Amino acid sequence: MKKSIKNYNLDDLKEELKSINEKPFRAEQIFKWIYQDKVNSFDDMTNLSLELRKKLNDNYDLRNFKIVNKLESIDGTKKYLFDVGDEGNLIETVLMSYHHGYTICVSSQIGCKMGCKFCASTGIPFSRNLTSGEIVEQVLAIERDLNLRISNIVFMGIGEPLDNFENVMKSIQIINNPKGLNIGARHISISTSGIVPKIYELADKKLQCTLSISLHSSNNKTRSSMMPVNDAYPIKELIKACKYYIQKTNKRISFEYALAKDNNDNLDDAKELVKLLDGMLAHVNLIPINQIENGNYKKSTNENIIKFRDYLNDHGIVATIRRELGSDISAACGQLRRQHLKNK
Ligand code: SAH
């Protein structure tokens, strides 16, 4: 089987080229063709010898994703459903347009093992991890399709990025490389449901990525009822890992909190949250929960959401309410894929 060329970071590609008796600097040329010129074929890499182009054609794969479906929201958000090429596996990627540029929300796995009760990805059986090349290709495919440059990446699509740690790290190396996609770590957010040992591992890498923690509740009973991962890594351990991350990286952590009516949205919950995050370098991102089909959670009222935010702000916790984008095109995690599979 051909090896996917997009799975190599620049150093690995240099080694790979050496192993086929080619000069390592060719790796930089190939990187530029793929990530900056965005060519579709090795034959288009005109500064490589015909012999090298043949070797590449024979042994490596530069395959691009096929767009299965593309939806556009009235707010400009675009949602892509890609066929990644094996067994009709499908993934979702969302592009959001903000005044400061384009942000892409990438998937890290096909399906998810975490089983969060409020998430549309739950119920999609876990199939496999995405490779680093497939993570990067989501960015490339959209840049190619719309002829634009993406400036920010969030790992908030389908999957748990810290459950696919190696491939996610390698994709970030390709994304960061000035000869690759050249998007700085500061413009990348990794969102996790809270896999504690991996948070320590990430902290030790001292990347400048933003870490987002899907907290959703400050007490173990409610959090466990929403997120089974909390049984393995309860809140106290999670917060300890977060403090370690802050100490190692000096970066503020973003806590995601999806507000569901009568579940985690009253002032006692806000009080508990203030206590939990007291003195931490943190920001709270409040999200009106996206109601999924057959789901048990209902969106909080606007009034409650504002009260919740104001309580946090008045007690020294910086909190903002996330603008809902793309709700008319089922932009929430897993919804498009779910619909597509159902229609089939
Ligand atoms: N597995 C990772 C990243 C994917 S989910 C994680 O858990 O963080 C990305 C974000 O969307 C998470 O904060 C998740 O909790 C949130 N999310 C999932 N379903 C949601 C829904 N129905 N409403 C609001 N937020 C949701």
Side-chain angles (χ1 to χ4, degrees):
M1 211 170 89
K2 291 185 184 180
K3 303 176 191 173
S4 168
I5 196 101
K6 290 175 202 152
N7 279 340
Y8 295 93
N9 66 24
L10 190 56
D11 287 339
D12 292 345
L13 189 57
K14 284 180 184 172
E15 288 306 312
E16 181 71 14
L17 286 165
K18 272 198 249 174
S19 77
I20 56 165
N21 298 320
E22 292 288 341
K23 295 267 189 310
F25 80 91
R26 297 284 178 206
E28 293 180 1
Q29 293 178 319
I30 295 171
F31 246 56
K32 186 169 174 294
W33 282 118
I34 299 175
Y35 299 109
Q36 292 179 12
D37 302 318
K38 306 192 176 78
V39 297
N40 290 312
S41 139
F42 291 119
D43 296 324
D44 294 335
M45 302 185 177
T46 48
N47 59 358
L48 307 182
S49 71
L50 285 174
E51 189 203 339
L52 174 54
R53 279 185 252 169
K54 179 164 185 336
K55 260 193 231 178
L56 292 172
N57 270 320
D58 288 347
N59 300 298
Y60 303 91
D61 187 1
L62 184 67
R63 198 169 15 142
N64 299 331
F65 287 163
K66 211 170 79 203
I67 300 171
V68 177
N69 196 356
K70 181 172 142 186
L71 297 177
E72 185 167 352
S73 159
I74 43 170
D75 61 31
T77 301
K78 294 187 178 62
K79 179 147 190 167
Y80 286 79
L81 191 66
F82 292 119
D83 183 342
V84 306
D86 61 331
E87 299 163 11
N89 267 324
L90 301 174
I91 59 166
E92 288 180 18
T93 311
V94 178
L95 180 78
M96 292 159 291
S97 164
Y98 292 103
H99 59 273
H100 56 265
Y102 291 103
T103 296
I104 186 176
C105 176
V106 295
S107 292
S108 55
Q109 298 178 313
I110 299 177
C112 185
K113 296 180 207 157
M114 307 317 294
C116 299
K117 299 286 193 294
F118 50 87
C119 178
S121 299
T122 300
I124 302 172
F126 177 79
S127 160
R128 63 170 176 85
N129 283 330
L130 289 179
T131 64
S132 50
E134 289 168 333
I135 294 170
V136 173
E137 169 63 9
Q138 296 172 60
V139 184
L140 274 176
I142 293 183
E143 288 195 341
R144 269 197 313 266
D145 187 50
L146 301 173
N147 197 19
L148 50 79
R149 223 182 103 66
I150 287 162
S151 47
N152 293 280
I153 299 181
V154 297
F155 282 86
M156 289 194 182
I158 296 175
E160 168 51 55
L162 297 191
D163 186 38
N164 183 15
F165 195 80
E166 294 304 320
N167 293 346
V168 166
M169 289 304 117
K170 206 195 265 182
S171 73
I172 290 175
Q173 289 161 358
I174 299 168
I175 289 165
N176 280 167
N177 197 297
K179 297 214 159 61
L181 284 167
N182 195 20
I183 300 172
R186 283 170 205 281
H187 298 274
I188 300 176
S189 296
I190 300 177
S191 180
T192 180
S193 56
I195 304 196
V196 164
K198 295 293 173 189
I199 295 174
Y200 285 103
E201 214 174 313
L202 185 66
D204 287 333
K205 292 201 178 285
K206 294 193 184 156
L207 297 177
Q208 283 303 302
C209 296
T210 300
L211 180 64
S212 290
I213 302 286
S214 301
L215 185 66
H216 305 315
S217 171
S218 314
N219 72 72
N220 283 317
K221 189 161 167 270
T222 307
R223 192 166 191 269
S224 283
S225 73
M226 301 173 81
M227 308 174 71
V229 66
N230 192 66
D231 293 334
Y233 306 114
I235 292 171
K236 200 167 156 205
E237 283 178 41
L238 177 59
I239 294 297
K240 202 169 141 202
C242 289
K243 287 183 174 160
Y244 182 81
Y245 187 89
I246 295 169
Q247 182 210 328
K248 283 278 163 173
T249 61
N250 227 352
K251 297 270 303 176
R252 184 171 79 161
I253 290 188
S254 178
F255 287 93
E256 309 291 308
Y257 198 107
L259 289 153
K261 192 167 181 293
D262 300 328
N263 172 63
N264 60 354
D265 70 337
N266 70 40
L267 282 187
D268 287 338
D269 297 302
K271 236 177 245 175
E272 240 176 348
L273 185 56
V274 167
K275 235 197 253 161
L276 186 72
L277 302 184
D278 181 42
M280 266 174 97
L281 197 57
H283 170 260
V284 174
N285 215 340
L286 298 170
I287 315 159
I289 205 162
N290 238 309
Q291 283 171 227
I292 57 169
E293 213 191 330
N294 306 326
N296 290 326
Y297 299 99
K298 300 264 171 295
K299 200 173 277 189
S300 297
T301 60
N302 283 343
E303 195 194 339
N304 253 10
I305 295 172
I306 289 167
K307 257 197 222 156
F308 201 97
R309 178 201 60 195
D310 291 347
Y311 185 91
L312 297 180
N313 284 338
D314 291 346
H315 292 82
I317 306 281
V318 185
T320 47
I321 300 169
R322 191 195 282 166
R323 200 154 57 96
E324 286 177 275
L325 288 174
S327 47
D328 54 331
I329 56 163
S330 334
C333 276
Q335 289 188 358
L336 182 62
R337 188 174 185 273
R338 189 151 136 157
Q339 257 169 28
H340 181 86
L341 295 176
K342 216 171 73 183
N343 293 341
K344 274 184 29 183

